């Protein structure tokens, strides 16, 4: 038999909570990880547009003026799955 794991990754803690709730309600075996994926392991600033809370980015320079910002942990994909 094949074995594997499904991992859902989201840097936005609000979206991650919704994802965890949805997977639990639907009985899905999905591991949720509340982190950003980057090329380095460090804290980064997550920018979320106030008018579109399902969007976001971790760019170094602000792309929009109407954003909420929060610090989130970033990791590399290699570190996450090792």
């Amino acid at each position: 038999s094949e074995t594997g794991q499904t991992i859902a990754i989201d840097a936005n803690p609000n979206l991650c909570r919704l994802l965890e709730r949805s997977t639990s309600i639907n009985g899905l075996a999905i591991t949720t990880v509340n982190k950003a994926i980057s090329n380095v392991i460090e804290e980064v600033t997550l920018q979320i547009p106030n008018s579109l809370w399902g969007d976001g980015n971790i760019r170094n320079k602000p792309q929009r003026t109407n954003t909420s910002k929060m610090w989130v942990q970033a990791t590399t994909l290699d570190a996450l799955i090792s």
Side-chain angles (χ1 to χ4, degrees), residues 36-69:
I37 297 297
S38 181
N39 62 332
V40 291
I41 299 172
E42 64 183 4
E43 275 197 329
V44 296
T45 303
L46 173 65
Q47 300 176 78
I48 304 167
N50 293 334
S51 62
L52 187 60
W53 60 268
D55 192 6
N57 66 62
I58 58 169
R59 294 183 180 130
N60 292 335
K61 296 180 182 178
Q63 299 297 307
R64 300 178 182 107
T65 56
N66 243 352
T67 61
S68 298
K69 297 174 183 70

Side-chain angles (χ1 to χ4, degrees), residues 8-28:
I9 307 160
D10 202 305
N12 185 326
N14 297 321
L15 294 180
C16 200
R17 276 192 293 276
L18 289 173
L19 182 59
E20 287 172 343
R21 185 172 178 204
S22 177
T23 58
S24 176
I25 288 170
N26 291 295
L28 302 173

